[in-house]
């Protein structure tokens, strides 16, 4: 009688090779996940900055973004009407946001221009770093 099945030794060797490859790939996967997470949060914050600029243009009001690094929030406030438009929360996203280079407030004028040029740096838990730059013209760039 001729059987084509696999022996126990062949199966164990295949499992050992699979386990070894999995152990070797895990650190790379964690680094990739961290970089992707930092990129996603950076894109969200860039969207918040662009929204504030568009809000200033649309409402013809100055819009101030206030960074509360302790609470992990970014608040968008209409200056003349003294009204908070919305609050973005990043505290639960496991990201460290460095203080913006021009201070904890970014002001957009009704023309869409920024009061000061600013750079914001974000760090992930695995060391991934991304930068956001707001120019005087109000342009938001991610690098």
């Amino acid at each position: 009688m001729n059987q084509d099945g696999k022996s126990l030794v062949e199966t164990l060797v295949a499992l050992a090779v699979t386990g070894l490859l999995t152990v070797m790939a895990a650190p790379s996967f964690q680094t990739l996940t961290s970089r992707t997470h930092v990129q996603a949060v950076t894109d969200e914050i860039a969207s918040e900055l662009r929204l504030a600029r568009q809000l200033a243009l649309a409402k013809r009001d100055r819009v101030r973004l206030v960074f509360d690094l302790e609470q992990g929030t970014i608040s968008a406030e209409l200056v003349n009407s003294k009204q908070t438009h919305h609050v973005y929360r990043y505290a639960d996203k496991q990201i460290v946001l460095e203080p913006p280079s021009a201070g904890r407030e970014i002001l957009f004028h009704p023309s869409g221009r920024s009061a000061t040029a600013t750079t914001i740096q974000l760090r992930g838990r695995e060391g991934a770093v991304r930068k956001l730059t707001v120019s005087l013209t109000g342009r938001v760039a991610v690098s």
Side-chain angles (χ1 to χ4, degrees), residues 49-50 117-120 131-135 138-143:
L49 292 165
R50 291 179 184 119
T118 307
T119 301
I120 304 165
K131 278 186 187 176
L132 287 166
T133 305
V134 180
S135 69
R139 183 176 178 269
V140 177
V142 179
S143 58

Side-chain angles (χ1 to χ4, degrees), residues 8-63:
L8 179 60
V9 173
E10 290 172 324
T11 304
L12 289 176
V13 168
L15 283 172
V17 169
T18 303
L20 185 62
L21 289 173
T22 302
V23 167
M24 289 171 42
S28 296
F29 182 72
Q30 288 175 341
T31 302
L32 176 66
T33 302
S34 176
R35 276 188 291 173
T36 304
H37 185 71
V38 171
Q39 179 62 44
V41 174
T42 302
D43 290 342
E44 289 174 4
I45 293 175
S47 292
E48 288 294 319
L49 292 165
R50 291 179 184 119
L51 174 65
R53 180 176 187 260
Q54 291 299 322
L55 191 61
L57 288 164
K59 298 284 186 177
R60 296 183 185 196
D61 192 355
R62 289 179 296 158
V63 174

Side-chain angles (χ1 to χ4, degrees), residues 72-105:
T73 62
I74 303 170
S75 303
E77 303 170 352
L78 297 165
V79 174
N80 291 341
S81 61
K82 297 180 182 176
Q83 159 183 48
T84 299
H85 186 267
H86 68 280
V87 176
Y88 172 75
R89 300 182 198 303
Y90 65 89
D92 60 338
K93 299 183 187 271
Q94 300 175 345
I95 295 294
V96 175
L97 191 73
E98 302 288 327
S101 62
R104 294 186 183 215
E105 293 184 2

